[in-house]
Amino acid sequence: MRIFKIIALIIVLLGGAYAASMYYFVDESKNFTIEKEIDYPVDKVFAQFNNLQNFTRWNNFFTSSQSIDIDYYTPYEGQGSAISYVDPKNDTDGEMFIRYENPNKTLKYQLFEDENENPTLVDVKFKPVSAEKTKITWYVHTPKLPVWRRVENFWTEDRFAENITKSMVNLKNVLGNKVEKDNQMAAIKYDSLMVEKEEDKMLLGINVSTSNKKDALYKNIVMNYNKIYNFVTMDLGKKDDEFGYPILMTDADNYKDKEVSYFLGIPLSKKIGVTDNNFSFRSVNPSQSYVMYYKGSYEGRIKAIQQLIQKAKKDEMRFGDISQTFIERPMEGQPVNMKLSLSVFK
């Protein structure tokens, strides 16, 4: 019996020592600042922070969990917008609000976690370093913690910093795809032959052989595009801003054949593990290409392809595959909007 009393006394003394050390030596709340820079203009960056539907697509806190469920509340963007979330697998929930907005300069967030009545306050400031670079600064004030929980303040800043570091990688990928799409749309000149340098790409898609009879080929493309899109968005959990336009790669002159083989894929930022054997990755090397933008029926693309091939022959250039980039998603019964790229070399 005596030994239990001794153990109880030791526990009380240790508890008291812990409480005293937490009370006198550990702050009840934390204030810290984190700074990052990203190579995109301030208006593009700010739009990813003040729209909470955008925000949850790249912020690591939300993207790292497959079980999190998020509800969005009007106005969805800017001051007054809010979300609530529940993550049953990780046993956490909370609410987030935008309390103040100064466009392209400042946002003030409130985050309530796990029924804590005191919020974490996060002020985010945006400063253009140049036309194509933005400095982002987070000013964080954590809620007061009772003595027995103050030990959490030892890792709060590190945890927050790690989340921001991972989030910035995601944000860079999102903005890279978004800006690339915007630039491509702005640069379109239909039916004009141009020379471009194509960058390397990593495509996730499927290899297909199908009939080249009237309408059959395009119907097959639409069907397979839908398969790939559903796999990338539903199985892999990717959002539209996280990948590029779908690309079909095939022999340049196989439009004359009765049967056509092609690879149709969606560009991703990097190669990832895929367990479904129906899908595979294909890397596309950088190349010089003759390019035409085309809008109309899918069958009508043949004239543009012929012009590209004739140009290559006239310039005494050898040519490889032709890439068909669908600027608007392929849909049955609808005209196509695409970029045709014929890779050429001496």
Side-chain angles (χ1 to χ4, degrees):
M1 193 71 175
R2 179 181 177 126
I3 192 166
F4 290 115
K5 290 182 178 179
I6 294 173
I7 292 172
L9 179 61
I10 291 172
I11 291 173
V12 170
L13 290 173
L14 288 174
Y18 168 81
S21 63
M22 291 294 108
Y23 183 82
Y24 288 108
F25 301 113
V26 181
D27 293 334
E28 59 184 358
S29 63
K30 290 270 289 183
N31 294 292
F32 52 90
T33 302
I34 297 173
E35 295 182 345
K36 296 285 185 180
E37 288 188 357
I38 189 166
D39 293 331
Y40 292 96
V42 67
D43 59 320
K44 301 286 186 185
V45 176
F46 189 83
Q48 295 297 318
F49 282 79
N50 79 325
N51 183 314
L52 294 180
Q53 289 177 310
N54 290 340
F55 183 85
T56 55
R57 290 177 180 175
W58 55 264
N59 189 281
N60 180 71
F61 179 83
F62 299 101
T63 62
S64 61
S65 173
Q66 297 296 317
S67 58
I68 197 165
D69 182 52
I70 306 169
D71 289 319
Y72 301 87
Y73 304 101
T74 55
Y76 302 123
E77 181 178 302
Q79 186 171 324
S81 57
I83 60 172
S84 63
Y85 64 89
V86 177
D87 190 348
K89 187 174 180 180
N90 294 307
D91 193 28
T92 186
D93 61 80
E95 296 177 313
M96 181 176 174
F97 302 85
I98 296 181
R99 296 304 194 190
Y100 173 80
E101 174 188 39
N102 186 359
N104 294 333
K105 292 183 178 179
T106 307
L107 286 169
K108 293 180 182 288
Y109 299 100
Q110 276 189 341
L111 175 62
F112 293 86
E113 295 182 278
D114 301 323
E115 299 182 359
N116 189 337
E117 294 181 359
N118 298 311
T120 298
L121 305 177
V122 183
D123 293 358
V124 185
K125 295 190 180 297
F126 304 82
K127 183 179 179 181
V129 178
S130 68
E132 297 297 326
K133 180 176 283 191
T134 302
K135 181 180 179 181
I136 310 170
T137 307
W138 288 261
Y139 300 92
V140 184
H141 175 75
T142 65
K144 295 179 181 180
L145 293 177
V147 168
W148 61 88
R149 286 187 55 195
R150 284 188 197 174
V151 68
E152 296 175 23
N153 282 333
F154 283 121
W155 56 76
T156 297
E157 183 174 351
D158 290 341
R159 187 184 65 174
F160 201 93
E162 181 183 10
N163 181 71
I164 287 180
T165 298
K166 292 179 178 178
S167 296
M168 292 299 287
V169 174
N170 296 339
L171 179 58
K172 185 177 179 181
N173 290 335
V174 166
L175 285 171
N177 286 320
K178 186 172 178 60
V179 170
E180 180 185 352
K181 289 179 179 180
D182 291 346
N183 290 343
Q184 280 187 305
M185 291 298 289
I188 290 179
K189 295 178 182 177
Y190 290 100
D191 303 319
S192 297
L193 200 152
M194 296 167 282
V195 180
E196 290 186 5
K197 287 187 176 180
E198 303 277 358
E199 297 182 352
D200 62 316
K201 298 179 182 69
M202 181 61 68
L203 306 180
L204 174 63
I206 51 180
N207 287 292
V208 181
S209 291
T210 189
S211 168
N212 194 22
K213 291 180 181 178
K214 185 179 179 181
D215 296 333
L217 174 58
Y218 187 57
K219 286 181 180 179
N220 185 266
I221 291 169
V222 172
M223 179 187 70
N224 285 303
Y225 166 75
N226 290 331
K227 284 182 185 177
I228 301 165
Y229 180 83
N230 289 337
F231 180 75
V232 169
T233 56
M234 298 175 71
D235 293 68
L236 301 184
K238 300 289 184 182
K239 306 296 183 184
D240 284 358
D241 283 341
E242 296 182 78
F243 52 84
Y245 295 119
I247 297 174
L248 183 149
M249 303 193 67
T250 187
D251 291 340
D253 55 1
N254 72 355
Y255 58 84
K256 299 175 289 188
D257 300 336
K258 291 182 179 179
E259 187 145 319
V260 171
S261 295
Y262 66 83
F263 179 88
L264 179 63
I266 287 177
L268 298 181
S269 58
K270 61 181 180 180
K271 195 171 183 178
I272 55 178
V274 174
T275 55
D276 191 327
N277 293 329
N278 292 309
F279 301 91
S280 61
F281 280 95
R282 178 168 176 172
S283 59
V284 181
N285 295 324
S287 66
Q288 178 175 299
S289 297
Y290 289 165
V291 170
M292 286 187 74
Y293 287 89
Y294 167 77
K295 202 171 193 176
S297 68
Y298 187 69
E299 293 77 16
R301 82 198 184 286
I302 294 173
K303 183 178 178 182
I305 293 173
Q306 289 171 334
Q307 287 180 256
L308 294 172
I309 293 174
Q310 287 168 6
K311 171 67 173 172
K313 290 179 177 178
K314 181 181 177 182
D315 294 346
E316 298 182 345
M317 301 286 281
R318 291 183 289 168
F319 55 88
D321 288 344
I322 192 159
S323 299
Q324 302 173 23
T325 303
F326 292 90
I327 299 167
E328 294 175 5
R329 62 184 294 175
M331 297 176 65
E332 193 170 335
Q334 298 294 320
V336 297
N337 186 2
M338 60 165 51
K339 173 184 175 182
L340 298 162
S341 306
L342 180 69
S343 62
V344 294
F345 50 94
K346 287 290 187 182

